[in-house]
Amino acid sequence: VILLGEFEQVVLLAILRAGDEAYGVTISREIASCTGRDPAPGALYTTLDRLEGKGLVTSRYGDPTAMRGGRAKRYFAVSEEGVRAVALAQRGFQRLLKGLSLPGLARA
Amino acid sequence: VRNGRLAQRILSLAVSSERAAAIVGDLMESAPHRGRTWFWTSLARLVAASLSADVRQAPFRFVGWAAISWLVYGVVGLVLTGVGLAANFPLWGIASIFSNHTGVELMTNWLGVRIDWGVPAPGLMRAIELVVLAAAAPFLTGRLAACWWPQRELAAALVMSAIWPLMAVLVPFVGYRAAATIDLVPVMVTCMLLGAVWSRMRQPSPPSFS
């Protein structure tokens, strides 16, 4: 079982939400829009590298685009193992929330 | 942001060229909304975060290598000093024989010019020793670190720069006059870092962009 940190879960979920267009900018945008926190690029990219090292995400380079000064995008996708790990971690959260009534959160 | 290539060069000191290109592309895409200060601040934090992540992956190995590298530096320094002095003596000897035992001195005396090739001045020997110990040997050790830690040269060199002052106190090279060696540690560390950066920069450069 691969244990995930909180930010690792956030990043994995953001990649899943961004789908085929998951690269640095869109992942950062997803995190900011869903959590209200703008991730620091340093934290985001080192986390992505770490997740790739653990085999939880895969990456590939796209074609260079003029808008980015001819630089390619690095697209990320969550591996099957990554999906399992994030689902397991989220089940833990759901169990903890079960029966709790928190302000601004629907009763689980 | 105009200096994308410079940014990529800086970032590629800490991550691979391909990754640096992709990350700088991401930063350039976001920069129009966030500004130049954000771009450069993010870049600096990215470099720091990447180097820190490299060290955190194997902290004990990095510290162990850094301690060993002080001994490697000592050996490299000894060898280079030996080579420098060994090369110095024959050259000085040949010059001395030429000027004093080949009739050249008769001619120079006749011309009223005095060429005196005595023994090498102690100051010169010390200068050779200092250049080797403070610059050449640390630079080579930095390059050796680059061979041992490919793609993590700078992280290794930074750990070494933190450990070397400590090692200079714990394991001073008596033959190098310990006090002087400790005084020279900042220069040594700078040259060692330059050696690591030099090796990193000599790797294939990122593709040029239109």
Side-chain angles (χ1 to χ4, degrees), chain A residues 23-25 38 40-42 45-46 49 52 61 67-74, chain B residues 4-5 8 18-19 21-26 28-30 34 42 45-46 49 209:
Chain A
Y23 68 102
V25 176
D38 200 10
Y45 290 103
T46 50
D49 283 343
E52 190 171 29
Y61 290 93
M67 185 191 168
R68 298 159 55 89
R71 291 168 179 84
K73 291 175 183 170
R74 185 177 169 207
Chain B
R5 196 164 162 71
Q8 192 175 327
E18 272 185 322
R19 287 184 184 189
I23 292 171
V24 169
D26 288 352
M28 286 180 77
E29 210 177 310
S30 302
R34 297 170 185 253
S42 297
R45 290 172 69 179
L46 256 163
F209 304 109

Side-chain angles (χ1 to χ4, degrees), chain A residues 57-98:
Chain A
V57 303
T58 56
S59 71
R60 65 179 174 83
Y61 290 93
D63 294 324
T65 59
M67 185 191 168
R68 298 159 55 89
R71 291 168 179 84
K73 291 175 183 170
R74 185 177 169 207
Y75 290 103
F76 294 90
V78 181
S79 66
E80 281 182 25
E81 203 175 344
V83 172
R84 272 199 299 274
V86 77
L88 185 70
Q90 289 301 309
R91 271 205 299 275
F93 271 118
Q94 285 169 359
R95 277 198 295 271
L96 284 166
L97 282 169
K98 200 171 182 181

Side-chain angles (χ1 to χ4, degrees), chain A:
Chain A
V1 177
I2 296 174
L3 295 176
L4 295 173
E6 186 201 345
F7 190 61
E8 288 178 332
Q9 291 179 52
V10 169
V11 171
L12 285 171
L13 291 169
I15 296 171
L16 288 169
R17 287 180 67 87
D20 291 340
E21 277 299 307
Y23 68 102
V25 176
T26 54
I27 295 168
S28 178
R29 209 175 283 154
E30 283 292 338
I31 294 171
S33 68
C34 293
T35 66
R37 286 183 303 177
D38 200 10
L44 177 62
Y45 290 103
T46 50
T47 302
L48 285 167
D49 283 343
R50 192 167 61 246
L51 289 171
E52 190 171 29
K54 289 179 180 177
L56 303 179
V57 303
T58 56
S59 71
R60 65 179 174 83
Y61 290 93
D63 294 324
T65 59
M67 185 191 168
R68 298 159 55 89
R71 291 168 179 84
K73 291 175 183 170
R74 185 177 169 207
Y75 290 103
F76 294 90
V78 181
S79 66
E80 281 182 25
E81 203 175 344
V83 172
R84 272 199 299 274
V86 77
L88 185 70
Q90 289 301 309
R91 271 205 299 275
F93 271 118
Q94 285 169 359
R95 277 198 295 271
L96 284 166
L97 282 169
K98 200 171 182 181
L100 289 178
S101 176
L102 299 175
L105 190 71
R107 193 181 175 90

Side-chain angles (χ1 to χ4, degrees), chain A residues 49, chain B residues 11-20 23 46 50 151 200:
Chain A
D49 283 343
Chain B
L11 188 57
S12 62
L13 290 174
V15 301
S16 71
S17 297
E18 272 185 322
R19 287 184 184 189
I23 292 171
L46 256 163
S50 299
Q151 303 294 320
R200 180 82 193 193

Side-chain angles (χ1 to χ4, degrees), chain B residues 70-71 73-74 77-78 81 126 129-130 132-135 137-138 164-190:
Chain B
W70 176 251
L71 305 177
Y73 154 75
L78 269 177
T81 307
R126 180 65 183 146
E129 202 180 50
L130 280 179
V132 167
L133 292 182
W164 274 24
L166 183 68
M167 293 299 288
V169 175
L170 293 177
V171 193
F173 295 111
V174 179
Y176 297 172
R177 301 180 187 115
T181 309
I182 291 166
D183 290 343
L184 287 171
V185 161
V187 183
M188 290 174 191
V189 164
T190 306

Side-chain angles (χ1 to χ4, degrees), chain B residues 11-144:
Chain B
L11 188 57
S12 62
L13 290 174
V15 301
S16 71
S17 297
E18 272 185 322
R19 287 184 184 189
I23 292 171
V24 169
D26 288 352
L27 294 180
M28 286 180 77
E29 210 177 310
S30 302
H33 315 291
R34 297 170 185 253
R36 195 181 292 181
T37 309
W38 173 85
F39 178 88
W40 289 107
T41 311
S42 297
L43 188 84
R45 290 172 69 179
L46 256 163
V47 171
S50 299
L51 293 175
S52 160
D54 280 347
V55 176
R56 280 204 310 268
Q57 275 184 1
F60 295 111
R61 281 178 64 198
F62 269 103
V63 171
W65 156 250
I68 291 168
S69 73
W70 176 251
L71 305 177
V72 172
Y73 154 75
V75 173
V76 171
L78 269 177
V79 170
L80 286 184
T81 307
V83 169
L85 296 182
N88 186 40
F89 272 116
L91 286 176
W92 209 272
I94 290 166
S96 179
I97 290 167
F98 179 76
S99 61
N100 295 318
H101 304 286
T102 57
V104 171
E105 79 276 16
L106 296 174
M107 191 172 71
T108 52
N109 285 343
W110 180 69
L111 289 171
V113 179
R114 175 81 181 142
I115 300 176
D116 189 9
W117 291 89
V119 293
L124 176 70
M125 312 297 273
R126 180 65 183 146
I128 290 174
E129 202 180 50
L130 280 179
V131 168
V132 167
L133 292 182
F139 187 84
L140 277 178
T141 311
R143 296 201 63 182
L144 274 175

